[in-house]
Amino acid sequence: MKRMIIVLFAAIITVQATAQAPKARVGVTGGVTIANLYGEYSGVNTDYSSKTGFTTGLIVDAPIGKSRFSFQPGLHYIQKGAVISETKDQKVSYALRYAELALNVMYKTPGTKGVQIIAGIGPSVDMNLPSKKVTKLSDDSKSEETLILGNEGAAVIKGIDWGLGGTAGLQFRNGAFITFNYTHGLRNLVPLENGNDAVRNSCMAIRLGWLIKNN
């Protein structure tokens, strides 16, 4: 818990400090996520199904000198997880929730008719938020169970995650943008690793956003 608070505090400081840079622009984002868990558990390929969710957050876009590059940290609420089993009678899923700090370096083309192509890459760190195991039955009823996250014996999944993400999209003259993002989890989320057991997050996101004009 203490480690999570420290990382989250560092994330807020990073975003706030970047926002003070000359010509930096603050932006808001929101969108849809398509997430999954991939790997091997108990000697068997997970072969889970993807789970949809949503994401929302704040970014700061700070130009790097006079180049076409910018540093773009962002702090997002993001839903991840997977459908771990599904039959005609019930569907069981892990609804994972994170506060994600993404530290991207972006490149923007000169632009044609007020539209720029943007692309970037960077690391991310995810601080775990309360997450659940959700069971939905064929009669549309459902039950929820809090997931224990961490490194202890009772934990189902490790807490803090980290990965590498890529972004591509379009930015318009008025500051609006649309991006496609993919984050590849790098941390093995199996709490008590056994042999080749390794399960990791993967998440795609389609985001709409707007960079507020800096006066």
Side-chain angles (χ1 to χ4, degrees):
M1 184 65 179
K2 289 182 179 180
R3 183 172 59 175
M4 185 178 72
I5 293 173
I6 292 172
V7 174
L8 186 58
F9 181 74
I12 294 171
I13 294 297
T14 299
V15 173
Q16 184 180 39
T18 306
Q20 305 304 315
K23 297 184 179 180
R25 300 171 72 182
V26 176
V28 293
T29 72
V32 178
T33 60
I34 303 173
N36 209 335
L37 294 165
Y38 69 94
E40 184 177 301
Y41 186 72
S42 295
V44 179
N45 191 300
T46 53
D47 195 26
Y48 297 151
S49 299
S50 60
K51 185 180 185 304
T52 58
F54 73 91
T55 178
T56 184
L58 295 173
I59 64 170
V60 176
D61 189 71
I64 300 175
K66 297 182 179 180
S67 70
R68 297 197 178 279
F69 290 92
S70 65
F71 176 52
Q72 193 179 94
L75 186 59
H76 308 274
Y77 167 78
I78 188 164
Q79 296 184 340
K80 299 183 181 182
V83 177
I84 61 174
S85 68
E86 186 171 9
T87 66
K88 66 177 183 178
D89 296 319
Q90 69 174 21
K91 180 170 71 173
V92 181
S93 59
Y94 284 164
L96 304 181
R97 306 292 183 251
Y98 295 98
E100 181 176 271
L101 173 65
L103 302 172
N104 291 319
V105 175
M106 304 294 294
Y107 175 80
K108 303 178 182 182
T109 64
T112 303
K113 296 182 179 180
V115 180
Q116 293 177 294
I117 297 174
I118 58 178
I121 191 171
S124 63
V125 178
D126 291 51
M127 288 68 72
N128 57 285
L129 300 174
S131 301
K132 297 179 179 180
K133 177 182 178 181
V134 181
T135 302
K136 292 185 178 180
L137 302 179
S138 56
D139 61 0
D140 291 332
S141 64
K142 72 175 182 179
S143 61
E144 298 181 347
E145 176 186 344
T146 299
L147 283 176
I148 300 176
L149 305 181
N151 297 318
E152 302 300 326
V156 178
I157 291 178
K158 287 180 181 176
I160 293 177
D161 189 22
W162 52 79
L164 184 65
T167 301
L170 300 174
Q171 182 173 314
F172 303 92
R173 183 175 296 166
N174 64 357
F177 61 86
I178 179 171
T179 59
F180 172 82
N181 316 98
Y182 174 73
T183 303
H184 183 83
L186 298 178
R187 190 185 192 197
N188 182 1
L189 298 178
V190 178
L192 299 176
E193 299 175 25
N194 181 21
N196 294 323
D197 283 356
V199 176
R200 294 178 172 85
N201 269 314
S202 68
C203 185
M204 296 183 291
I206 299 175
R207 287 186 169 102
L208 298 175
W210 181 52
L211 290 171
I212 301 170
K213 187 175 181 180
N214 188 346
N215 293 321

